[in-house]
Amino acid sequence: MHQLQPLDYFVFLIYFAGVSAYGYYVYRRKKSATTSSKDFFLAEGSLTWWAIGASLIASNISAEHFIGMSGSGFALGLAISSYEWMAAATLIIVAIFIIPVYLKNKIFTMPQFLSVRYNDKVSTIMAIFWLLVYVFVNLTSIIYLGALAISSISNLSFEAAIVGLSVFSVLVTLGGMKVIGYTDVVQVIVLIIGGLITTYLALSLLADRFGFDGNIWKALGILRKEAPTHFHMIFKKDDPHYYELPGMSVLIGGMLINNLAYWGCNQYIVQRALGADLKTARKGILFAAFLKLLIPVIAVLPGITMFVLYKNGMFQAEMADAAGTVKPDHAYPTLMNLLPAGLKGVAFAALTAAIVASLAGKANSISTIFSLDIYKKFFNKAASEQKLVRVGRWAVITAMVLAALVTPALRSLDQAYQFIQEYVGFFSPGVLAIFLLGMFWKRTTAGAALAGALLTIPISTVLKFLPVWTRGAFPDYPFLDRMTITFFCVVLLMAVISLLSPQKTAVTASIELDKRLFRVSPEFLMGSVLICGILAALYTAFW
């Protein structure tokens, strides 16, 4: 059964109508007499902690998790969960040390921080850079994986799926951050329920295959027995997958750099908390960290299950392309095709919810940066609040159209999740270095930040391709290790430039740093300890 049945379309229609109606209700109920730019882009002061947490996860989880992480689960195993579980620990760090700096200094966009801390040149270069990456890497990859999944489980063509996802996402985004934030709560509920249903089906199939009549607890034991190599969180150097996830780098090296850059210096993510007070923002981030612990259950476990089923003779044709090559990213769509009518509609709605929420969040961040950091600064400094909102809405439409036109070029990808992580990792180390030094070392100069911004990608590129250029004379580092090397190279470079510059050129008073804000409530501390304890138990159990 490779097409949705009428009941599936009915279930999906209920989801679509429900999200649209709720979004319109939020828009009308919370609409001000005149919509300000801060209200449109940040939902200033109106998002609750649970809406912030849900929106963080809904914006983060997309087809790259359902499709890409399941594919990596099929190929690599549970170790790919480090992207999720270590993100939970990183969110705690961000809530304690980074969010207070933004809120104390009334920062609304990441380029604004760079402008206040350094200068407009650094800010503009990074704003343009972020816009290009968000449109041509993030939006395109999300649309691609979403369209790939939808076209594989329905009678929609790949091209029609691209158009449908883009239009749905634009409709959600045009309502502003309030609509995105509150509809994301619905999206998260739908994607978790749909994801759990698909995981349950996969485990039931495995139990049936081994004669345990759908007993999913028996199925979990079968997984450990049939795929022991898929249950290691830390790969050793002689492991064939060490290059993708190199040993301890997933704990203290490149993974931490990747996560800190993503969760702490990324407009797309941080924007959810910028309109709230510190207590609410921290509660929301901690809630998101708890949800992060669940994601491997709905995204990675189905992929491992499909690996065991495939190894035992099932789904040989479904897991291969036309040339007979095994395609790990086929794992999740294959499972969805096996769901009965109605439940398949729920899973389809969950996948769509994840895609649309992620696209809407990304598009809103694109419009925020373009409107506040490009348009207002360089084209119309006297732009009214209403004008900025209109420009922001047109930026959403333009970005989505561009991404939809570029998306078909990505059809040659294999493990899309790993592809996205690697190439986003070309600039993440430099971004993190610029922000951390800007926050916590007053001596850092604008010249140092500019050098860091301009040299991050060249350093990453040299590290990636030098082994090819030198025919193996230079070590071929895993990309997470390359991120670590790049980060420390940029930090060292920025430190040298700053120390060699006259001290009077360093900006020392533009960013306020109140150490009292780093104190946390007993409730936040208890939640953080619980999360860290769960992580310690997981890594100990699956070392």
Side-chain angles (χ1 to χ4, degrees):
M1 182 172 61
H2 294 285
Q3 291 187 352
L4 297 176
Q5 302 301 302
L7 182 58
D8 297 317
Y9 284 112
F10 178 71
V11 171
F12 179 78
L13 187 62
I14 291 175
Y15 151 72
F16 179 83
V19 170
S20 301
Y22 183 56
Y24 184 71
Y25 165 74
V26 171
Y27 176 73
R28 297 298 302 178
R29 183 169 66 91
K30 295 183 175 289
K31 185 179 181 183
S32 308
T34 56
T35 304
S36 71
S37 59
K38 292 176 185 176
D39 193 55
F40 179 77
F41 296 122
L42 299 176
E44 192 169 24
S46 67
L47 293 183
T48 59
W49 65 266
W50 45 268
I52 291 171
S55 189
L56 281 168
I57 295 302
S59 298
N60 169 240
I61 303 302
S62 185
E64 67 213 54
H65 286 77
F66 280 105
I67 310 302
M69 286 200 80
S70 287
S72 293
F74 182 97
L76 308 177
L78 193 64
I80 198 68
S81 302
S82 281
Y83 280 104
E84 305 306 305
W85 289 341
M86 292 312 299
T90 305
L91 279 165
I92 295 172
I93 297 173
V94 170
I96 296 173
F97 296 109
I98 295 180
I99 286 297
V101 178
Y102 294 143
L103 296 182
K104 173 70 175 177
N105 291 277
K106 295 181 171 56
I107 298 299
F108 304 127
T109 72
M110 298 300 95
Q112 180 200 352
F113 172 85
L114 297 177
S115 179
V116 172
R117 176 58 181 86
Y118 297 115
N119 59 31
D120 282 345
K121 185 181 292 185
V122 175
S123 171
T124 302
I125 288 173
M126 293 305 296
I128 294 171
F129 183 68
W130 269 311
L131 289 175
L132 292 173
V133 170
Y134 283 169
V135 173
F136 295 109
V137 176
N138 296 116
L139 280 185
T140 54
S141 61
I142 294 168
I143 295 173
Y144 160 72
L145 284 168
L148 181 70
I150 287 173
S151 62
S152 68
I153 62 173
S154 71
N155 56 4
L156 288 175
S157 67
F158 180 74
E159 291 74 17
I162 290 175
V163 173
L165 287 173
S166 301
V167 171
F168 191 3
S169 303
V170 166
L171 290 176
V172 173
T173 312
L174 293 182
M177 182 52 75
K178 285 178 184 175
V179 174
I180 293 171
Y182 282 103
T183 55
D184 276 353
V185 177
V186 180
Q187 310 276 43
V188 163
I189 293 171
V190 172
L191 74 87
I192 288 177
I193 291 173
L196 288 174
I197 288 172
T198 307
T199 301
Y200 180 84
L201 169 75
L203 292 172
S204 295
L205 276 172
L206 184 64
D208 290 342
R209 180 69 173 178
F210 284 82
F212 290 109
D213 194 28
N215 188 322
I216 64 169
W217 305 112
K218 294 283 188 181
L220 291 172
I222 293 168
L223 285 180
R224 292 292 301 269
K225 181 181 177 182
E226 291 290 316
T229 58
H230 277 55
F231 284 89
H232 293 296
M233 293 301 299
I234 306 296
F235 291 140
K236 297 179 181 178
K237 280 196 173 182
D238 58 353
D239 192 283
H241 300 301
Y242 179 84
Y243 191 81
E244 287 92 347
L245 294 167
M248 295 298 290
S249 288
V250 301
L251 297 180
I252 57 174
M255 186 74 76
L256 179 60
I257 292 167
N258 179 69
N259 278 329
L260 280 173
Y262 180 85
W263 294 101
C265 314
N266 184 350
Q267 181 72 30
Y268 164 56
I269 293 299
V270 177
Q271 189 164 338
R272 272 111 189 98
L274 294 184
D277 61 83
L278 181 58
K279 183 179 179 181
T280 304
R282 277 182 169 158
K283 278 186 178 180
I285 293 170
L286 192 65
F287 179 46
F290 273 107
L291 291 176
K292 265 295 182 186
L293 299 177
L294 296 175
I295 301 306
V297 176
I298 64 176
V300 180
L301 202 55
I304 300 174
T305 307
M306 279 298 296
F307 171 78
V308 175
L309 290 169
Y310 176 82
K311 194 179 79 166
N312 282 273
M314 297 179 68
F315 310 117
Q316 303 294 304
E318 290 85 350
M319 289 303 302
D321 61 13
T325 304
V326 175
K327 303 288 284 185
D329 283 347
H330 286 190
Y332 204 85
T334 299
L335 274 175
M336 288 184 66
N337 276 324
L338 300 171
L339 285 167
L343 287 182
K344 190 175 180 181
V346 175
F348 182 58
L351 183 63
T352 306
I355 299 162
V356 169
S358 196
L359 287 173
K362 217 52 155 197
N364 184 267
S365 295
I366 290 167
S367 70
T368 302
I369 291 176
F370 179 79
S371 302
L372 301 183
D373 296 298
I374 301 295
Y375 178 79
K376 186 176 183 180
K377 189 177 289 186
F378 297 103
F379 296 99
N380 189 354
K381 293 182 179 179
S384 65
E385 296 290 293
Q386 291 78 11
K387 178 68 173 178
L388 287 175
V389 171
R390 286 198 301 273
V391 169
R393 286 178 170 142
W394 277 110
V396 167
I397 296 170
T398 304
M400 203 67 74
V401 169
L402 286 173
L405 291 174
V406 173
T407 294
L410 302 183
R411 298 190 79 166
S412 61
L413 296 182
D414 181 13
Q415 285 188 60
Y417 189 77
Q418 290 292 80
F419 168 84
I420 295 165
Q421 296 300 330
E422 176 166 3
Y423 284 93
V424 169
F426 268 53
F427 60 88
S428 296
V431 170
L432 182 62
I434 292 168
F435 273 77
L436 289 185
L437 290 179
M439 287 179 185
F440 302 113
W441 190 37
K442 290 184 177 182
R443 188 72 173 82
T444 313
T445 64
L450 184 62
L454 294 176
L455 292 176
T456 300
I457 291 180
I459 293 172
S460 298
T461 303
V462 168
L463 287 171
K464 178 173 176 60
F465 294 106
L466 201 57
V468 178
W469 298 335
T470 61
R471 298 184 178 180
F474 188 83
D476 184 12
Y477 294 107
F479 79 89
L480 285 175
D481 288 348
R482 292 202 305 268
M483 288 181 68
T484 305
I485 296 169
T486 302
F487 174 75
F488 284 107
C489 284
V490 173
V491 168
L492 180 61
L493 176 71
M494 290 179 63
V496 170
I497 293 174
S498 297
L499 292 172
L500 291 177
S501 303
Q503 190 158 356
K504 64 181 180 180
T505 64
V507 182
T508 58
S510 57
I511 292 292
E512 291 186 56
L513 195 65
D514 188 346
K515 294 181 180 179
R516 290 174 297 178
L517 293 175
F518 298 150
R519 299 170 185 167
V520 297
S521 67
E523 295 83 4
F524 183 91
L525 182 60
M526 289 175 60
S528 301
V529 170
L530 178 59
I531 289 173
C532 292
I534 293 171
L535 289 173
L538 287 168
Y539 276 89
T540 301
F542 300 112
W543 189 267

